[in-house]
Amino acid sequence: MSLITSIQKYSIHDGDGIRTTVFFKGCGLRCVWCHNPETQSYKKQPLYDKERCVGCRSCEMACPHKAIHEENGKVVTDLNLCDACGTCTDYCNLNLREIVGKEYTVDELIKELKKDEMFYEESGGGVTLSGGEVMTADMDYVEALCKKLRHLGITVTIDTCGFAPYENYERLLPYVDTFLYDIKTMDNDLHKKYMGAGNELILSNLEKLSAAGARIYIRIPTIKEVNGDDASMKAIIAYLQEKNIRVANVNLLPYHNTGSSKYEKVGMEYEGTGLHAPSKEEMEHFVTLFKEAGFHNIKIGG
């Protein structure tokens, strides 16, 4: 069984057509700009909106593990004591608390995804499995889900950072229509600095997927401090050409910090405050670099 953090309906930026995106919990990378910090841990965890809390302390009195207490006039949750049992969510008078991570059986999830089948058929859409990193989830579960979707005629797209064992990708190849595959930077030191791990496994998996004939959309989160310059983009282009990567689309995704407000709710600090998006003109220039190198279907945004 895998934990699901959310199911996003009518998604138009996670593959072809109108899609329903399933966000799995857990990821091996720690990108400093991560839009979904609540998906990084593989365990259930509490979310708490401190800004709107009025300090009634009902949650503190209800917590069976004594994980909630008052500190300097504010209600604080000790994550070392909290086991995400969810009792506090029942007692919060303003509904400011929730537990992230829900278990679905494959059949329960399929039932939910089939509700949008009409939109898939009309738009050429389907289901996208995202995260976190779906390719590090329970692969028996993910494979069974993909098989059933395929049997129902619903297309499957995998949104992946590439940081997972290749055998996991190999298992899904017969059932997946498209892989949305991230490349952040060719500089391994920068990759370690901003993503928390090197890029060797990610590039190796991409090369193997391409050789296996997978349909691949390359997605490049574009950030001035990480890869938002000519040298970085040309290095990615040179790599794709040298390795003969089968590229159906390239999406350049300008940096944004819309997920930064979630960090405090999960007891984390947002480390991307010093990052910036390239200008519109710079982004258009990067598109030109790809086109001049012979790539087609280049797009700014999802």
Side-chain angles (χ1 to χ4, degrees), residues 283-299:
M283 292 298 298
E284 290 172 349
H285 171 64
F286 299 147
V287 169
T288 300
L289 290 180
F290 274 90
K291 287 183 175 179
E292 288 177 345
F295 290 88
H296 306 289
N297 300 322
I298 318 301
K299 181 181 177 184

Side-chain angles (χ1 to χ4, degrees), residues 19-236:
R19 313 192 69 81
T20 300
T21 302
V22 181
F23 292 89
F24 283 72
K25 206 167 186 328
C27 182
L29 295 185
R30 291 294 180 267
C31 302
V32 299
W33 62 84
C34 179
H35 302 153
N36 300 309
E38 75 282 7
T39 68
Q40 291 184 7
S41 169
Y42 288 90
K43 299 178 181 179
K44 292 183 179 181
Q45 63 190 127
L47 258 71
Y48 165 45
D49 190 343
K50 299 178 184 177
E51 295 300 317
R52 295 173 53 210
C53 177
V54 296
C56 72
R57 301 177 68 180
S58 295
C59 56
E60 178 184 353
M61 291 182 281
C63 179
H65 305 289
K66 307 301 180 186
I68 303 173
H69 62 277
E70 186 180 18
E71 191 175 290
N72 298 322
K74 293 186 177 182
V75 176
V76 176
T77 301
D78 186 337
L79 298 179
N80 293 316
L81 296 176
C82 175
D83 75 346
C85 69
T87 302
C88 60
T89 66
D90 296 329
Y91 287 86
C92 179
N93 295 314
L94 297 179
N95 296 318
L96 304 182
R97 290 181 175 272
E98 64 177 298
I99 301 300
V100 177
K102 181 178 178 181
E103 292 183 351
Y104 290 81
T105 66
V106 170
D107 288 339
E108 286 171 342
L109 189 51
I110 288 286
K111 183 178 179 180
E112 188 65 29
L113 297 174
K114 283 186 68 179
K115 292 177 181 178
D116 298 325
E117 205 164 4
M118 178 181 67
F119 297 112
Y120 310 152
E121 293 171 355
E122 292 181 356
S123 69
V127 170
T128 297
L129 306 182
S130 185
E133 178 49 67
V134 62
M135 299 307 298
T136 59
D138 178 344
M139 290 310 296
D140 290 338
Y141 179 94
V142 176
E143 183 179 10
L145 175 63
C146 290
K147 277 184 179 179
K148 289 202 171 190
L149 289 169
R150 184 80 169 190
H151 179 73
L152 292 167
I154 298 173
T155 65
V156 178
T157 290
I158 296 289
D159 183 2
T160 179
C161 70
F163 195 68
Y166 181 69
E167 52 264 32
N168 293 359
Y169 294 91
E170 207 166 22
R171 288 179 65 170
L172 300 190
L173 275 170
Y175 318 110
V176 173
D177 296 271
T178 306
F179 289 89
L180 309 181
Y181 204 100
D182 284 4
I183 294 182
K184 277 116 177 169
T185 175
M186 298 305 300
D187 186 318
N188 201 35
D189 290 334
L190 277 181
H191 208 282
K192 290 176 181 177
K193 176 181 177 180
Y194 286 106
M195 273 59 77
N199 60 10
E200 300 96 336
L201 177 62
I202 293 166
L203 299 179
S204 173
N205 285 342
L206 178 58
E207 292 160 24
K208 291 175 182 176
L209 271 179
S210 177
R215 184 171 184 245
I216 300 169
Y217 288 10
I218 295 296
R219 310 224 305 178
I220 306 173
T222 309
I223 302 152
K224 286 185 75 73
E225 291 76 10
V226 181
N227 58 15
D229 58 82
D230 277 26
S232 296
M233 285 296 165
K234 287 179 179 179
I236 293 174

